[in-house]
Amino acid sequence: MFKLFVFILLIQPCLLVAAAQPFEQSAEKLTQLSKTLYWRHLLHYHKAGLIADSGSQIDDKHFFIAKNGQQNAHAELVATLSLFLSDSPQDLEKQCQYPARLHWLKQQLPELNFNTPSCPEYEKWVSTLNAEQVVLVFPAAYLNSPSSMYGHTLFRLKKKNNNNALLDFAVNYAANADPDDDQLTFSYKGLTGGYPGVVSVMPYYQKVQEYNFLESRDIWEYELNLKQDEVNQFVRHVWEMKSTYMDYYFFTENCSYQLLSLLDASSEALNLTKDFRFRAIPSDTVRALAEEGLIEHAKFRESTLTQLDNMLKQMGDSEINFAKSLVDEVTPNFEKLKNYNETEQAKILDIAYQYSRYLSARKKSTLAHLGARSIKLLSLRSKNSNASVFKPVEQPKVRDDQGHATQRAMFGVGVEEHNHYLTLGYRAAYHEFLDKPQGYLAGAQLEMFDAELRWYQSQSLRLQKIDLLNIRSWSARNALFTPKSWQIKLGVERIAGFNDELLAKLQGGAGITQAVGNHRFSLFANGEFYLGLNSDQKLENSHYLAGGPQLNWLWQTQRFTLLTSYEYLIDVSGESLQQQRADVSLAYHLSENWQARFATNYYSSKQHSQLSASLSLIHYF
């Protein structure tokens, strides 16, 4: 109680006139401390989004000691000190909730005689983690999940004197979503902060199993250059955050953003969240860490699918087909193994086993014999003396954080039926097929808010299009799998053949893709739906629905990307607009973040045909 009494005097100098001068200085110091960036980082006083107040992003009021601590950093500091200087048993127990605050305040106010609370649960937890290094983990993009389309980031806490990463612990921040919510509800709540985001700590092997095996996502691991004191403070703050929550937003306060905020709270030298006010894409946050000099070393951990692809490239068709039959057939002929030499047998058994595990884990195969077959393959492989028969997977030359920047600005000129125009475009995120491919997932395109304005000689400035969402997943088939390719585009656009009317559009389809070297060929069954937006609509039925085949050829190299497509659409809505479209686009990658692009388009219907062309200069930032 004596310490608490002294503290009250420190913050209220007017109570003791005789000692006014030193207490005024201390009160001023508390005011200064409450305004420091680091104290605000400990309270997560960050601004993100278009509408952001000046308070904390932590939405759980129980995290704060002062009643108005969520909005008043000074009040929270005074309440925190009051707690730390109290000797009551109840307050001593509560002090264990805030080890990071206590550690920092002891350094800032050495003149105060702080308690040293006994916190056995916390101390056991710290001892179990035994962390000596923080590693940022970046699983690649995953188009099949709205929350992981741009990838995901988490931390691994490397244990002291441990070189097996699978024995470490992971620190993860994710939305605590309702498993019964469908994808539409999940997307809506994710966009509007409808889920609480929580920090969790778990064995790292569980996350590796989830990403590498179940979702087949390659992983990059970045060792962060933090001092031991900073690692310790990071662990203390994770303890503080484990039992609270923040509203989760897909584009702003998401996993990558909040992991940066955890790092900000680990060191007074960091302020990583300041550049992510309106959006936080995982690859951009990794770039921010690299620019701060925090990344020491990067390691690639390939997925099961990448391992299988690597194996297939080192085998002949006969070996692959036989390996597949050993898994797919109910009663395979294992005697045929004798037709191959020892090394070939090892390769066949290796890939057959990996194939069986992939079917079980990823494809959820219902083959009744699959479990016993995996054991049989493993048993035969153990009798083969060739320990390693495949060359290891080569680490990509360009990491996922070293590709082009994710925002894009475009300026160009074009001609459309002898009508010349200037064009200006902006894309908020993040990659399309014509962009430089290095550093991005092959066969995957994800664009959001891609807008284009045009100014014609004969007309005023007008909006040409806004693509709210444009996804293409062209996963190529191989000797073992034939994944489904799919694509979807949603937005508004003036489309050739529709009298320049601005239409709401929904386009999409499904098909198959074949990769040959740097070439990717795809065939789709495609469909599109247009809806007139103006009251004086020129569409006969105010809407248009059509479907038909689409052929595509994509060629990507270090310097060039070529994308061509042909589409034939059969009208089913009564507009009598049987259409053919042919597009050719050639991109020349001037540098990592600059590109020159030529595009031409031919449109034809019974009523109208049109040829257009454009030349653009593109900058990524």
Side-chain angles (χ1 to χ4, degrees), residues 395-455:
Q395 179 168 304
K397 295 177 181 176
V398 180
R399 301 192 312 246
D400 289 10
D401 62 295
Q402 293 177 322
H404 64 77
T406 54
Q407 294 187 86
R408 186 179 75 185
M410 180 266 292
F411 174 76
V413 295
V415 58
E416 187 179 274
E417 289 189 301
H418 308 293
N419 196 3
H420 294 80
Y421 63 85
L422 299 175
T423 181
L424 187 66
Y426 167 76
R427 184 189 68 191
Y430 107 115
H431 177 72
E432 67 155 315
F433 285 152
L434 285 166
D435 296 335
K436 195 171 185 179
Q438 287 76 24
Y440 286 85
L441 189 64
Q445 167 178 306
L446 172 58
E447 291 186 299
M448 288 191 179
F449 195 81
D450 182 16
E452 181 183 344
L453 296 172
R454 287 185 181 178
W455 188 83

Side-chain angles (χ1 to χ4, degrees), residues 87-325:
D87 295 324
S88 76
Q90 185 178 0
D91 287 342
L92 284 170
E93 183 179 351
K94 194 171 182 180
Q95 289 169 22
C96 295
Q97 296 179 24
Y98 306 100
R101 295 191 194 185
L102 178 60
H103 178 80
W104 183 70
L105 288 173
K106 280 183 174 179
Q107 293 177 329
Q108 304 305 312
L109 298 168
E111 65 272 24
L112 295 181
N113 186 19
F114 286 93
N115 293 315
T116 302
S118 174
C119 308
E121 184 182 355
Y122 163 71
E123 289 162 5
K124 181 181 178 182
W125 180 79
V126 171
S127 175
T128 302
L129 297 180
N130 196 22
E132 67 171 358
Q133 188 177 42
V134 179
V135 179
L136 180 73
V137 181
F138 181 17
Y142 186 53
L143 293 182
N144 290 326
S145 170
S147 63
S148 299
M149 285 183 170
Y150 296 108
H152 178 64
T153 50
L154 64 152
F155 289 121
R156 172 168 67 84
L157 296 176
K158 182 183 179 303
K159 280 185 177 179
K160 291 176 183 173
N161 304 317
N162 171 50
N163 293 319
N164 185 350
L166 297 181
L167 299 180
D168 292 336
F169 282 85
V171 177
N172 191 49
Y173 177 78
N176 191 11
D178 187 337
D180 294 329
D181 284 349
D182 56 36
Q183 287 291 334
L184 186 61
T185 304
F186 179 75
S187 300
Y188 172 75
K189 287 185 175 180
L191 291 170
T192 58
Y195 291 122
V198 295
V199 175
S200 57
V201 179
M202 65 194 73
Y204 182 57
Y205 75 84
Q206 293 181 4
K207 303 307 291 183
V208 172
Q209 185 179 40
E210 175 184 347
Y211 296 125
N212 265 173
F213 296 97
L214 300 182
E215 297 181 353
S216 284
R217 298 164 65 179
D218 296 329
I219 291 175
W220 282 99
E221 297 178 333
Y222 304 87
E223 296 176 1
L224 300 186
N225 182 23
L226 295 178
K227 299 174 184 174
Q228 186 62 56
D229 285 348
E230 294 169 329
V231 173
N232 294 342
Q233 185 68 346
F234 175 82
V235 171
R236 294 184 193 105
H237 187 61
V238 169
W239 172 264
E240 294 177 345
M241 297 296 294
K242 250 172 13 89
S243 55
T244 189
Y245 70 89
M246 297 173 278
D247 291 343
Y248 192 98
Y249 295 86
F250 281 166
F251 295 128
T252 52
E253 298 174 48
N254 56 24
C255 61
S256 295
Y257 178 89
Q258 296 300 1
L259 291 190
L260 292 184
S261 74
L262 292 179
L263 284 178
D264 282 343
S266 70
S267 171
E268 294 184 69
L270 299 179
N271 187 18
L272 298 166
T273 49
K274 68 181 188 311
D275 295 327
F276 296 92
R277 172 76 186 269
F278 301 108
R279 58 179 210 134
I281 291 177
S283 58
D284 289 339
T285 60
V286 178
R287 287 189 187 94
L289 293 172
E291 290 168 1
E292 289 288 330
L294 287 172
I295 293 180
E296 279 190 333
H297 176 70
K299 178 184 175 184
F300 182 69
R301 185 184 291 274
E302 69 273 10
S303 68
T304 302
L305 198 55
T306 300
Q307 291 175 6
L308 277 170
D309 285 339
N310 181 59
M311 291 176 173
L312 291 173
K313 291 174 183 174
Q314 300 175 50
M315 296 179 68
D317 291 342
S318 169
E319 297 166 333
I320 294 171
N321 291 332
F322 180 51
K324 191 169 186 296
S325 72

